[in-house]
Amino acid sequence: MDGAEVDRLTVDGVGSIAHLLPRSRGRCGVYELTFADGERYVGQAVDVVARFGVHRKTWTDIVEITFRRVPRDRLDDEERDQIRRRESAGVRLRNVVHTAGRLGAAELDRILSPAEQQRWLAGHEPCPVALAPHEWYPAQHRRTRHQFDRLRADARFTAEMARLVGAYLRLTMPVPEETQRDFWTITALPSTNAGTYPRLFTVSVHSLETLYVCHDRRWPHALQICLNVDKTVAQSQLRTRLRLRAMRAAPYGNRVRPLVLALRFGSVAGAYEALTRPQIVKAARRLNLDLMRKGPALNWKTHCPDLVRHVLSG
C-alpha cells in the first residue's frame, strides 16, 4: 500500500490484531487483506481491529493485512483510489463495492446469458416464478425450519410485509427461483446486530444486505424497512434528489456504503410504493446483478427456502 506509516502484518491463523496495532498509534485508515489464493480486499475502517475481527469470521484464509492510517474525512476517497490502483495493476480483488469489473460471472451466465441479463436490466416486468423444488431443499429446510416457524408466528411479520418481500424478489432478482441460495439468500431472524438493531429477516446478495427489516432493540415495534439500491443509477434516474431525500431517514444501524444508496421506510406501504417506481426497481436490479456477478452468496447456510415459498406464493 502506498504512502508512509504503513503496517504490514502476517496474520495467518491470527484471530485478533489488537496486540499488533495499539489504539495509541491510531486505528483509523485504509487496509488491504491478502488471502491464501493471492486475491486481495481493500477496505476502510474507523477501527481496523474491530473490522478485521468481522472479516475473520467471513474469511478464514486471510494471511496478511496492510494498514495505512488515513484521516476519517479522507477514508472514502483513499479507499476508492487504492481500489483503482489495484485494478489497474491487474490485482484480483474480492471487493463488491467500488470495483469496476464484473467478477465471478461464469456461474450466473449459465443460468441467464449476459444478453438476457441486459434485457432484464432494461425492463421492469417481474420475472416468472416457478417455485420448482431443488435437490438441496430438504437439508436446507431442516436447517432453517425452526427460524421460519418463529418468524411466521411473530405478529410483526404481517401478510402485507410478506407480500412486500415477494414483490421485491420478483421485481429485483433475475429468475429468483433459480438464483436463490447460490446468488441471493433470505434469512429468518438472523443474528445480525442482535444486541442493537435486530432483524426480522434479511435478503442478501453476495455479502451485502439488500432488503431487511430491523428495529432498535429498545423499541421492538418501531420497525424500519431498509432497501439498498445502486446510488449512481438511482440519482441519475430520478429527476430530483428531493424525491430521494423524502424516502431517506438517518442511517439506521451501520453506515451506508459509498456507492450504495440506503432507503429507509417506516411503513410497509411506503416501501411498497417505492417498488412501483421503475427508477427504484432499476437501481435495485443494477445493484443486485452487480453483486451476483461478483460471486456466490456467502451466507447460503442460513437461506430459508420455506420463507421463499411463503412470500412468493402469496
Side-chain angles (χ1 to χ4, degrees):
M1 190 168 286
D2 310 306
E5 294 190 62
V6 174
D7 290 286
R8 188 181 300 275
L9 309 170
T10 300
V11 294
D12 190 10
V14 174
S16 171
I17 58 173
H19 61 295
L20 301 173
L21 291 173
R23 192 178 298 275
S24 59
R25 293 183 58 199
R27 292 177 172 177
C28 179
V30 173
Y31 60 90
E32 180 179 73
L33 305 177
T34 300
F35 302 93
D37 62 1
E39 291 183 338
R40 301 185 194 179
Y41 176 95
V42 176
Q44 59 166 280
V46 175
D47 185 340
V48 69
V49 170
R51 184 62 56 81
F52 177 82
V54 173
H55 285 316
R56 177 58 87 188
K57 292 178 181 178
T58 302
W59 292 310
T60 60
D61 58 336
I62 305 171
V63 296
E64 184 179 89
I65 180 171
T66 303
F67 174 64
R68 181 184 180 210
R69 290 165 185 81
V70 175
R72 190 166 184 167
D73 62 354
R74 290 284 305 157
L75 286 174
D76 289 348
D77 290 340
E78 187 65 27
E79 180 187 25
R80 283 192 289 266
D81 180 64
Q82 292 298 334
I83 289 174
R84 283 194 294 268
R85 288 171 181 263
R86 298 300 177 273
E87 287 192 306
S88 297
V91 174
R92 291 181 300 148
L93 293 176
R94 292 190 184 182
N95 289 69
V96 171
V97 184
H98 300 316
T99 49
R102 304 285 183 252
L103 307 179
E107 292 298 323
L108 181 61
D109 290 348
R110 278 194 278 270
I111 297 173
L112 197 66
S113 72
E116 290 172 318
Q117 292 171 35
Q118 291 305 312
R119 286 196 294 271
W120 175 77
L121 273 180
H124 305 298
E125 73 288 347
C127 291
V129 178
L131 291 179
H134 290 264
E135 60 181 13
W136 47 260
Y137 183 93
Q140 204 76 22
H141 165 83
R142 290 190 296 272
R143 183 184 295 120
T144 61
R145 179 71 194 193
H146 177 65
Q147 293 298 90
F148 169 68
D149 288 340
R150 286 181 55 207
L151 176 64
R152 192 169 55 171
D154 193 316
R156 297 172 299 175
F157 186 65
T158 62
E160 183 185 27
M161 186 178 291
R163 284 193 293 271
L164 169 69
V165 183
Y168 171 79
L169 295 179
R170 292 187 183 99
L171 286 166
T172 72
M173 299 294 181
V175 285
E177 72 279 9
E178 293 298 328
T179 52
Q180 67 165 311
R181 194 193 73 148
D182 293 333
F183 292 96
W184 66 267
T185 61
I186 185 168
T187 304
L189 299 172
S191 60
T192 312
N193 290 350
T196 52
Y197 296 99
R199 273 84 160 128
L200 280 187
F201 65 85
T202 296
V203 177
S204 300
V205 185
H206 193 54
S207 63
L208 182 68
E209 295 176 313
T210 59
L211 175 71
Y212 60 96
V213 173
C214 66
H215 61 85
D216 189 310
R217 193 164 181 261
R218 296 167 294 180
W219 299 291
H221 292 284
L223 298 178
Q224 288 284 318
I225 301 168
C226 307
L227 170 65
N228 286 328
V229 301
D230 184 277
K231 184 175 183 179
T232 303
V233 171
Q235 291 183 338
S236 66
Q237 290 290 309
L238 291 175
R239 292 183 179 180
T240 67
R241 294 191 180 187
L242 179 62
R243 295 174 71 184
L244 284 175
R245 287 199 297 270
M247 294 184 210
R248 284 192 293 176
Y252 201 79
N254 294 335
R255 186 173 64 85
V256 181
R257 297 190 187 190
L259 295 184
V260 175
L261 182 68
L263 305 178
R264 309 290 192 239
F265 307 92
S267 70
V268 173
Y272 209 102
E273 193 275 334
L275 289 179
T276 67
R277 302 187 184 189
Q279 304 95 327
I280 296 300
V281 172
K282 185 172 183 178
R285 286 188 174 195
R286 176 77 270 178
L287 177 64
N288 290 350
L289 185 60
D290 281 359
L291 291 168
M292 288 182 182
R293 292 185 65 82
K294 297 292 183 180
L298 298 184
N299 60 341
W300 60 269
K301 288 184 179 180
T302 63
H303 177 62
C304 184
D306 291 294
L307 185 51
V308 176
R309 282 183 170 274
H310 181 69
V311 300
L312 288 180
S313 298

mmCIF file of all heavy atoms in Angstrom, residues 257-291:
data_model
loop_
_atom_site.group_PDB
_atom_site.id
_atom_site.type_symbol
_atom_site.label_atom_id
_atom_site.label_comp_id
_atom_site.label_asym_id
_atom_site.label_seq_id
_atom_site.Cartn_x
_atom_site.Cartn_y
_atom_site.Cartn_z
ATOM 1 N N ARG A 257 -22.694 2.247 2.610
ATOM 2 C CA ARG A 257 -21.507 2.179 1.768
ATOM 3 C C ARG A 257 -21.537 3.321 0.755
ATOM 4 O O ARG A 257 -22.597 3.736 0.294
ATOM 5 C CB ARG A 257 -21.450 0.837 1.047
ATOM 6 C CG ARG A 257 -21.312 -0.349 1.978
ATOM 7 C CD ARG A 257 -21.016 -1.613 1.180
ATOM 8 N NE ARG A 257 -21.049 -2.789 2.021
ATOM 9 C CZ ARG A 257 -20.648 -3.982 1.618
ATOM 10 N NH1 ARG A 257 -20.178 -4.151 0.401
ATOM 11 N NH2 ARG A 257 -20.710 -5.012 2.429
ATOM 12 N N PRO A 258 -20.374 3.807 0.345
ATOM 13 C CA PRO A 258 -20.317 4.997 -0.513
ATOM 14 C C PRO A 258 -21.105 4.905 -1.809
ATOM 15 O O PRO A 258 -21.720 5.866 -2.222
ATOM 16 C CB PRO A 258 -18.816 5.144 -0.787
ATOM 17 C CG PRO A 258 -18.154 4.534 0.405
ATOM 18 C CD PRO A 258 -19.039 3.384 0.794
ATOM 19 N N LEU A 259 -21.093 3.774 -2.507
ATOM 20 C CA LEU A 259 -21.778 3.674 -3.791
ATOM 21 C C LEU A 259 -23.114 2.948 -3.695
ATOM 22 O O LEU A 259 -23.680 2.536 -4.703
ATOM 23 C CB LEU A 259 -20.871 2.975 -4.812
ATOM 24 C CG LEU A 259 -19.592 3.752 -5.164
ATOM 25 C CD1 LEU A 259 -18.810 3.036 -6.239
ATOM 26 C CD2 LEU A 259 -19.916 5.175 -5.610
ATOM 27 N N VAL A 260 -23.604 2.788 -2.487
ATOM 28 C CA VAL A 260 -24.900 2.160 -2.262
ATOM 29 C C VAL A 260 -25.797 3.174 -1.561
ATOM 30 O O VAL A 260 -25.405 3.784 -0.572
ATOM 31 C CB VAL A 260 -24.767 0.886 -1.399
ATOM 32 C CG1 VAL A 260 -26.139 0.315 -1.073
ATOM 33 C CG2 VAL A 260 -23.907 -0.141 -2.110
ATOM 34 N N LEU A 261 -26.995 3.363 -2.108
ATOM 35 C CA LEU A 261 -27.951 4.280 -1.503
ATOM 36 C C LEU A 261 -28.913 3.492 -0.636
ATOM 37 O O LEU A 261 -29.552 2.546 -1.109
ATOM 38 C CB LEU A 261 -28.728 5.030 -2.594
ATOM 39 C CG LEU A 261 -29.732 6.064 -2.094
ATOM 40 C CD1 LEU A 261 -29.015 7.234 -1.441
ATOM 41 C CD2 LEU A 261 -30.607 6.553 -3.239
ATOM 42 N N ALA A 262 -29.009 3.850 0.638
ATOM 43 C CA ALA A 262 -29.909 3.171 1.573
ATOM 44 C C ALA A 262 -31.197 3.966 1.712
ATOM 45 O O ALA A 262 -31.168 5.133 2.092
ATOM 46 C CB ALA A 262 -29.233 3.015 2.931
ATOM 47 N N LEU A 263 -32.310 3.347 1.371
ATOM 48 C CA LEU A 263 -33.621 3.959 1.527
ATOM 49 C C LEU A 263 -34.288 3.368 2.757
ATOM 50 O O LEU A 263 -34.295 2.152 2.937
ATOM 51 C CB LEU A 263 -34.479 3.702 0.289
ATOM 52 C CG LEU A 263 -33.867 4.140 -1.050
ATOM 53 C CD1 LEU A 263 -34.800 3.784 -2.197
ATOM 54 C CD2 LEU A 263 -33.548 5.616 -1.043
ATOM 55 N N ARG A 264 -34.835 4.224 3.599
ATOM 56 C CA ARG A 264 -35.446 3.791 4.860
ATOM 57 C C ARG A 264 -36.933 4.126 4.854
ATOM 58 O O ARG A 264 -37.323 5.235 4.493
ATOM 59 C CB ARG A 264 -34.781 4.491 6.047
ATOM 60 C CG ARG A 264 -33.261 4.403 6.070
ATOM 61 C CD ARG A 264 -32.812 2.987 6.383
ATOM 62 N NE ARG A 264 -31.391 2.943 6.690
ATOM 63 C CZ ARG A 264 -30.506 2.230 6.024
ATOM 64 N NH1 ARG A 264 -30.895 1.499 4.998
ATOM 65 N NH2 ARG A 264 -29.234 2.227 6.357
ATOM 66 N N PHE A 265 -37.755 3.177 5.293
ATOM 67 C CA PHE A 265 -39.195 3.377 5.322
ATOM 68 C C PHE A 265 -39.732 2.965 6.692
ATOM 69 O O PHE A 265 -39.339 1.940 7.243
ATOM 70 C CB PHE A 265 -39.879 2.550 4.238
ATOM 71 C CG PHE A 265 -39.309 2.766 2.865
ATOM 72 C CD1 PHE A 265 -38.293 1.943 2.398
ATOM 73 C CD2 PHE A 265 -39.771 3.780 2.054
ATOM 74 C CE1 PHE A 265 -37.754 2.131 1.138
ATOM 75 C CE2 PHE A 265 -39.240 3.985 0.795
ATOM 76 C CZ PHE A 265 -38.224 3.167 0.328
ATOM 77 N N GLY A 266 -40.683 3.750 7.178
ATOM 78 C CA GLY A 266 -41.291 3.438 8.458
ATOM 79 C C GLY A 266 -42.561 2.631 8.335
ATOM 80 O O GLY A 266 -43.184 2.291 9.342
ATOM 81 N N SER A 267 -42.958 2.315 7.082
ATOM 82 C CA SER A 267 -44.187 1.538 6.877
ATOM 83 C C SER A 267 -44.034 0.643 5.667
ATOM 84 O O SER A 267 -43.264 0.942 4.741
ATOM 85 C CB SER A 267 -45.384 2.474 6.673
ATOM 86 O OG SER A 267 -45.291 3.129 5.409
ATOM 87 N N VAL A 268 -44.772 -0.448 5.667
ATOM 88 C CA VAL A 268 -44.774 -1.352 4.518
ATOM 89 C C VAL A 268 -45.341 -0.634 3.298
ATOM 90 O O VAL A 268 -44.843 -0.793 2.179
ATOM 91 C CB VAL A 268 -45.597 -2.617 4.828
ATOM 92 C CG1 VAL A 268 -45.760 -3.483 3.586
ATOM 93 C CG2 VAL A 268 -44.928 -3.419 5.940
ATOM 94 N N ALA A 269 -46.362 0.188 3.508
ATOM 95 C CA ALA A 269 -46.981 0.897 2.393
ATOM 96 C C ALA A 269 -45.977 1.818 1.702
ATOM 97 O O ALA A 269 -45.952 1.912 0.469
ATOM 98 C CB ALA A 269 -48.181 1.700 2.885
ATOM 99 N N GLY A 270 -45.131 2.492 2.489
ATOM 100 C CA GLY A 270 -44.127 3.376 1.905
ATOM 101 C C GLY A 270 -43.113 2.618 1.074
ATOM 102 O O GLY A 270 -42.733 3.055 -0.016
ATOM 103 N N ALA A 271 -42.676 1.473 1.580
ATOM 104 C CA ALA A 271 -41.709 0.658 0.843
ATOM 105 C C ALA A 271 -42.348 0.078 -0.415
ATOM 106 O O ALA A 271 -41.718 0.023 -1.477
ATOM 107 C CB ALA A 271 -41.191 -0.466 1.735
ATOM 108 N N TYR A 272 -43.606 -0.348 -0.303
ATOM 109 C CA TYR A 272 -44.301 -0.918 -1.462
ATOM 110 C C TYR A 272 -44.465 0.128 -2.555
ATOM 111 O O TYR A 272 -44.305 -0.156 -3.753
ATOM 112 C CB TYR A 272 -45.666 -1.453 -1.033
ATOM 113 C CG TYR A 272 -46.161 -2.606 -1.860
ATOM 114 C CD1 TYR A 272 -46.083 -3.908 -1.393
ATOM 115 C CD2 TYR A 272 -46.712 -2.393 -3.117
ATOM 116 C CE1 TYR A 272 -46.532 -4.980 -2.144
ATOM 117 C CE2 TYR A 272 -47.155 -3.458 -3.879
ATOM 118 C CZ TYR A 272 -47.060 -4.742 -3.392
ATOM 119 O OH TYR A 272 -47.494 -5.797 -4.145
ATOM 120 N N GLU A 273 -44.760 1.357 -2.142
ATOM 121 C CA GLU A 273 -44.929 2.432 -3.113
ATOM 122 C C GLU A 273 -43.632 2.683 -3.873
ATOM 123 O O GLU A 273 -43.644 2.951 -5.082
ATOM 124 C CB GLU A 273 -45.383 3.707 -2.403
ATOM 125 C CG GLU A 273 -45.898 4.797 -3.330
ATOM 126 C CD GLU A 273 -44.791 5.679 -3.891
ATOM 127 O OE1 GLU A 273 -43.734 5.795 -3.245
ATOM 128 O OE2 GLU A 273 -44.996 6.260 -4.984
ATOM 129 N N ALA A 274 -42.494 2.576 -3.166
ATOM 130 C CA ALA A 274 -41.202 2.773 -3.825
ATOM 131 C C ALA A 274 -40.968 1.738 -4.906
ATOM 132 O O ALA A 274 -40.394 2.031 -5.958
ATOM 133 C CB ALA A 274 -40.072 2.729 -2.787
ATOM 134 N N LEU A 275 -41.437 0.508 -4.668
ATOM 135 C CA LEU A 275 -41.244 -0.555 -5.654
ATOM 136 C C LEU A 275 -42.169 -0.424 -6.858
ATOM 137 O O LEU A 275 -42.045 -1.204 -7.810
ATOM 138 C CB LEU A 275 -41.438 -1.924 -4.992
ATOM 139 C CG LEU A 275 -40.339 -2.359 -4.011
ATOM 140 C CD1 LEU A 275 -40.670 -3.722 -3.417
ATOM 141 C CD2 LEU A 275 -38.970 -2.393 -4.682
ATOM 142 N N THR A 276 -43.078 0.529 -6.828
ATOM 143 C CA THR A 276 -43.886 0.807 -8.015
ATOM 144 C C THR A 276 -43.185 1.786 -8.942
ATOM 145 O O THR A 276 -43.675 2.046 -10.048
ATOM 146 C CB THR A 276 -45.265 1.388 -7.628
ATOM 147 O OG1 THR A 276 -45.095 2.686 -7.037
ATOM 148 C CG2 THR A 276 -45.990 0.463 -6.673
ATOM 149 N N ARG A 277 -42.083 2.339 -8.511
ATOM 150 C CA ARG A 277 -41.347 3.308 -9.320
ATOM 151 C C ARG A 277 -40.294 2.577 -10.153
ATOM 152 O O ARG A 277 -39.369 1.968 -9.603
ATOM 153 C CB ARG A 277 -40.663 4.349 -8.436
ATOM 154 C CG ARG A 277 -41.618 5.109 -7.532
ATOM 155 C CD ARG A 277 -40.911 6.230 -6.829
ATOM 156 N NE ARG A 277 -41.774 6.913 -5.877
ATOM 157 C CZ ARG A 277 -41.453 8.046 -5.250
ATOM 158 N NH1 ARG A 277 -40.272 8.590 -5.497
ATOM 159 N NH2 ARG A 277 -42.288 8.595 -4.407
ATOM 160 N N PRO A 278 -40.396 2.628 -11.454
ATOM 161 C CA PRO A 278 -39.412 1.946 -12.298
ATOM 162 C C PRO A 278 -37.974 2.366 -12.019
ATOM 163 O O PRO A 278 -37.058 1.547 -12.134
ATOM 164 C CB PRO A 278 -39.838 2.344 -13.721
ATOM 165 C CG PRO A 278 -41.291 2.650 -13.608
ATOM 166 C CD PRO A 278 -41.463 3.257 -12.253
ATOM 167 N N GLN A 279 -37.783 3.635 -11.599
ATOM 168 C CA GLN A 279 -36.427 4.107 -11.336
ATOM 169 C C GLN A 279 -35.796 3.382 -10.154
ATOM 170 O O GLN A 279 -34.610 3.033 -10.175
ATOM 171 C CB GLN A 279 -36.434 5.623 -11.055
ATOM 172 C CG GLN A 279 -37.058 6.455 -12.166
ATOM 173 C CD GLN A 279 -38.524 6.753 -11.888
ATOM 174 O OE1 GLN A 279 -39.237 5.934 -11.283
ATOM 175 N NE2 GLN A 279 -38.990 7.908 -12.331
ATOM 176 N N ILE A 280 -36.592 3.161 -9.118
ATOM 177 C CA ILE A 280 -36.085 2.469 -7.938
ATOM 178 C C ILE A 280 -35.835 1.004 -8.252
ATOM 179 O O ILE A 280 -34.837 0.409 -7.842
ATOM 180 C CB ILE A 280 -37.066 2.618 -6.759
ATOM 181 C CG1 ILE A 280 -37.185 4.081 -6.342
ATOM 182 C CG2 ILE A 280 -36.612 1.759 -5.569
ATOM 183 C CD1 ILE A 280 -35.872 4.713 -5.899
ATOM 184 N N VAL A 281 -36.754 0.394 -9.010
ATOM 185 C CA VAL A 281 -36.577 -1.012 -9.403
ATOM 186 C C VAL A 281 -35.301 -1.168 -10.223
ATOM 187 O O VAL A 281 -34.524 -2.111 -10.022
ATOM 188 C CB VAL A 281 -37.799 -1.509 -10.185
ATOM 189 C CG1 VAL A 281 -37.537 -2.897 -10.766
ATOM 190 C CG2 VAL A 281 -39.026 -1.546 -9.277
ATOM 191 N N LYS A 282 -35.064 -0.250 -11.151
ATOM 192 C CA LYS A 282 -33.863 -0.331 -11.983
ATOM 193 C C LYS A 282 -32.601 -0.215 -11.131
ATOM 194 O O LYS A 282 -31.625 -0.941 -11.343
ATOM 195 C CB LYS A 282 -33.873 0.767 -13.036
ATOM 196 C CG LYS A 282 -32.707 0.675 -14.017
ATOM 197 C CD LYS A 282 -32.855 1.661 -15.155
ATOM 198 C CE LYS A 282 -31.715 1.491 -16.153
ATOM 199 N NZ LYS A 282 -31.863 2.422 -17.310
ATOM 200 N N ALA A 283 -32.625 0.692 -10.145
ATOM 201 C CA ALA A 283 -31.465 0.858 -9.268
ATOM 202 C C ALA A 283 -31.244 -0.381 -8.405
ATOM 203 O O ALA A 283 -30.102 -0.778 -8.135
ATOM 204 C CB ALA A 283 -31.639 2.098 -8.391
ATOM 205 N N ALA A 284 -32.327 -1.010 -7.963
ATOM 206 C CA ALA A 284 -32.211 -2.236 -7.167
ATOM 207 C C ALA A 284 -31.694 -3.386 -8.029
ATOM 208 O O ALA A 284 -30.844 -4.172 -7.595
ATOM 209 C CB ALA A 284 -33.567 -2.598 -6.554
ATOM 210 N N ARG A 285 -32.194 -3.487 -9.257
ATOM 211 C CA ARG A 285 -31.721 -4.537 -10.157
ATOM 212 C C ARG A 285 -30.226 -4.372 -10.460
ATOM 213 O O ARG A 285 -29.480 -5.360 -10.508
ATOM 214 C CB ARG A 285 -32.518 -4.504 -11.465
ATOM 215 C CG ARG A 285 -33.927 -5.039 -11.340
ATOM 216 C CD ARG A 285 -34.592 -5.165 -12.707
ATOM 217 N NE ARG A 285 -35.902 -5.810 -12.574
ATOM 218 C CZ ARG A 285 -36.582 -6.312 -13.583
ATOM 219 N NH1 ARG A 285 -36.099 -6.250 -14.812
ATOM 220 N NH2 ARG A 285 -37.757 -6.882 -13.387
ATOM 221 N N ARG A 286 -29.814 -3.140 -10.713
ATOM 222 C CA ARG A 286 -28.409 -2.902 -11.041
ATOM 223 C C ARG A 286 -27.499 -3.350 -9.898
ATOM 224 O O ARG A 286 -26.499 -4.029 -10.119
ATOM 225 C CB ARG A 286 -28.201 -1.419 -11.329
ATOM 226 C CG ARG A 286 -26.764 -0.986 -11.594
ATOM 227 C CD ARG A 286 -26.328 -1.358 -12.998
ATOM 228 N NE ARG A 286 -25.729 -2.677 -13.093
ATOM 229 C CZ ARG A 286 -25.323 -3.213 -14.233
ATOM 230 N NH1 ARG A 286 -25.509 -2.570 -15.370
ATOM 231 N NH2 ARG A 286 -24.775 -4.403 -14.245
ATOM 232 N N LEU A 287 -27.853 -2.976 -8.667
ATOM 233 C CA LEU A 287 -27.034 -3.381 -7.529
ATOM 234 C C LEU A 287 -27.049 -4.896 -7.373
ATOM 235 O O LEU A 287 -25.986 -5.524 -7.222
ATOM 236 C CB LEU A 287 -27.556 -2.725 -6.247
ATOM 237 C CG LEU A 287 -26.826 -3.140 -4.957
ATOM 238 C CD1 LEU A 287 -25.364 -2.707 -4.990
ATOM 239 C CD2 LEU A 287 -27.526 -2.572 -3.727
ATOM 240 N N ASN A 288 -28.213 -5.512 -7.427
ATOM 241 C CA ASN A 288 -28.303 -6.951 -7.206
ATOM 242 C C ASN A 288 -27.550 -7.741 -8.267
ATOM 243 O O ASN A 288 -26.851 -8.711 -7.964
ATOM 244 C CB ASN A 288 -29.771 -7.384 -7.167
ATOM 245 C CG ASN A 288 -30.482 -6.897 -5.919
ATOM 246 O OD1 ASN A 288 -29.849 -6.402 -4.989
ATOM 247 N ND2 ASN A 288 -31.797 -7.009 -5.894
ATOM 248 N N LEU A 289 -27.677 -7.334 -9.521
ATOM 249 C CA LEU A 289 -26.979 -8.053 -10.586
ATOM 250 C C LEU A 289 -25.465 -7.888 -10.465
ATOM 251 O O LEU A 289 -24.716 -8.856 -10.646
ATOM 252 C CB LEU A 289 -27.452 -7.571 -11.960
ATOM 253 C CG LEU A 289 -26.875 -8.331 -13.157
ATOM 254 C CD1 LEU A 289 -27.238 -9.819 -13.093
ATOM 255 C CD2 LEU A 289 -27.358 -7.731 -14.468
ATOM 256 N N ASP A 290 -25.010 -6.682 -10.154
ATOM 257 C CA ASP A 290 -23.571 -6.476 -9.968
ATOM 258 C C ASP A 290 -23.031 -7.348 -8.837
ATOM 259 O O ASP A 290 -21.956 -7.940 -8.949
ATOM 260 C CB ASP A 290 -23.273 -5.009 -9.667
ATOM 261 C CG ASP A 290 -23.274 -4.153 -10.929
ATOM 262 O OD1 ASP A 290 -23.480 -4.706 -12.026
ATOM 263 O OD2 ASP A 290 -23.071 -2.927 -10.814
ATOM 264 N N LEU A 291 -23.787 -7.429 -7.756
ATOM 265 C CA LEU A 291 -23.360 -8.253 -6.631
ATOM 266 C C LEU A 291 -23.322 -9.730 -7.012
ATOM 267 O O LEU A 291 -22.390 -10.458 -6.650
ATOM 268 C CB LEU A 291 -24.299 -8.039 -5.441
ATOM 269 C CG LEU A 291 -24.239 -6.676 -4.754
ATOM 270 C CD1 LEU A 291 -25.406 -6.505 -3.805
ATOM 271 C CD2 LEU A 291 -22.922 -6.499 -4.009
#
